């Protein structure tokens, strides 16, 4: 696999890891395990930062005049990154709501 494809796969893998960890965090919050939920969210944030850093490399190259070949794989990576960001943001809000609901149900 060439360097460009490896960089694209890095975005896909880290964005996928982010999504996995935010859903694990949500499951923990649903069960009242907030400490575990916080740990999972931190891991998700770290994975998202890695994915975003991968994207930034492409943005810097393009800004410096280097032609970046667009491919279906690159578009797929961008899709994963953007949905990971959206899902993480929504799940953070859901977890906060879940904390309120869990205190009312007890």
């Amino acid at each position: 696999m060439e360097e460009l494809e490896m960089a694209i796969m890095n975005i896909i893998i880290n964005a996928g890891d982010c999504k996995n960890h935010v859903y694990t965090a949500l499951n923990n919050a649903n069960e009242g395990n907030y400490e575990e939920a916080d740990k999972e969210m931190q891991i998700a944030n770290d994975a998202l930062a890695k994915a975003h850093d991968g994207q930034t490399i492409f943005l810097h190259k393009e800004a410096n005049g280097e032609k970046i070949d667009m491919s279906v794989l690159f578009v797929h990576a961008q899709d994963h990154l953007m949905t990971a960001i959206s899902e993480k943001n929504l799940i953070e809000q859901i977890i906060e709501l879940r904390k309120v609901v869990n205190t009312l149900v007890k």
Side-chain angles (χ1 to χ4, degrees):
M1 195 177 285
E2 64 181 66
E3 184 180 346
L4 178 65
E5 290 170 330
M6 289 296 292
I8 291 170
M9 290 305 296
N10 181 54
I11 295 169
I12 293 169
I13 289 166
N14 283 296
D17 284 349
C18 173
K19 287 191 236 181
N20 179 54
H21 288 287
V22 295
Y23 281 100
T24 301
L26 180 58
N27 288 335
N28 279 309
N30 287 341
E31 295 171 4
N33 299 326
Y34 305 120
E35 190 173 314
E36 287 301 314
D38 289 343
K39 288 178 187 176
E40 289 294 329
M41 288 304 292
Q42 185 56 54
I43 295 168
N45 285 328
D46 294 344
L48 185 60
K50 289 177 188 174
H52 194 267
D53 288 347
Q55 179 193 46
T56 302
I57 290 168
F58 288 105
L59 294 173
H60 283 205
K61 287 182 178 196
E62 184 93 10
N64 289 326
E66 185 177 330
K67 175 73 175 131
I68 304 296
D69 292 326
M70 291 297 119
S71 67
V72 173
L73 191 60
F74 185 75
V75 172
H76 183 65
Q78 296 294 33
D79 181 49
H80 269 286
L81 179 57
M82 294 302 104
T83 57
I85 291 168
S86 293
E87 289 178 32
K88 184 189 83 65
N89 290 340
L90 287 170
I91 288 173
E92 284 175 335
Q93 295 301 310
I94 293 169
I95 288 173
E96 290 306 310
L97 290 171
R98 191 60 170 145
K99 288 177 180 178
V100 172
V101 168
N102 285 351
T103 60
L104 296 173
V105 172
K106 289 183 179 181

